[in-house]
Amino acid sequence: DRRELGAREATLAYLERIEALDGRLGCYLAIDAERALKAADAVDARRARGQPVGPLGGAPMALKDIFVTEGLETTGGSKILRGWIPPYQGTPARRLAEAGAILLGKLNMDEFAMGSSGENSAFGPTRNPWDPSRGPGGSSSGSAAAVSAGLCAAALGTDTGGSIRQPAAF
C-alpha cells in the first residue's frame, strides 16, 4: 500500500528513529523536537488550506553544526562555543525554512571542520552506521552518517577538502 504522510507524522518517525539509533552513532549534537513539530504542524495546516508549502514542504532535515541557527545552539563541534545560541538565522538555515523544510537538529562534525575523519569533534566521534566500529569520514561526518542511517531525509554539510566526498566513498 502506498500513502502520503503528513509533515508531523514524518517528523515524528524521524525523531523516534533518532532516539532509537543516535546514541550509538553520535550524529546529532542538538535536537529540537519542539520546534520541528511546530514547523511540521504549520506545513500540514498550510497544506490543508490548499496553500503552497514550498518545494521542501515537510521534509525533515538536519544541518551540520557549522550552520548558524537562530535560537538553537551552534558549536561548530567545539566546546569553545558551547552554549552559544545565535540571535539570527544563517542563510542556509533561512533558505531551507523558506522552502518548507523541517529542521530536526544540528549534526556532529570535526571541530571547526578541521579534520577529515569525523573523530575530532569535541563532543565525541561520529560512527559509521554500517559498521559502528569505524568512522564515517569527513568533517561533515554527522551529516553523512545521519542521512545514511535514515535519521533525516536530507542534511547539509560542507566540502572543502573532501568532507562530503570521503563519507560518500566510505
Side-chain angles (χ1 to χ4, degrees):
D1 259 346
R2 186 178 162 175
R3 65 185 183 98
E4 289 188 26
L5 295 177
R8 182 180 187 83
E9 191 175 11
T11 299
L12 281 170
Y14 278 107
L15 290 170
E16 289 171 8
R17 188 161 172 87
I18 292 165
E19 186 175 336
L21 298 177
D22 194 52
R24 68 183 180 92
L25 298 177
C27 297
Y28 280 86
L29 295 181
I31 299 165
D32 194 347
E34 184 178 331
R35 186 190 326 200
L37 291 169
K38 184 177 175 182
D41 289 342
V43 167
D44 285 340
R46 284 193 304 276
R47 184 173 282 128
R49 291 190 302 266
Q51 296 174 325
V53 296
L56 296 174
M61 297 180 66
L63 296 173
K64 181 178 182 175
D65 196 33
I66 202 166
F67 295 108
V68 176
T69 48
E70 182 177 15
L72 182 59
E73 184 177 51
T74 298
T75 68
S78 177
K79 289 184 181 177
I80 293 169
L81 292 176
R82 180 182 265 166
W84 184 56
I85 310 294
Y88 59 92
Q89 192 80 307
T91 301
R94 180 180 48 79
R95 287 186 177 175
L96 286 173
E98 289 170 353
I102 308 300
L103 178 62
L104 297 171
K106 304 296 282 298
L107 297 165
N108 205 356
M109 57 180 283
D110 283 332
E111 190 168 11
F112 297 123
M114 294 172 53
S116 59
S117 67
E119 299 169 307
N120 299 303
S121 168
F123 303 103
T126 306
R127 299 288 176 205
N128 187 317
W130 297 99
D131 181 354
S133 71
R134 298 173 185 249
S139 74
S140 297
S141 58
S143 298
V147 171
S148 183
L151 303 182
C152 56
L156 288 189
T158 59
D159 193 336
T160 303
S163 297
I164 295 172
R165 290 170 284 158
Q166 288 175 349
F170 285 19

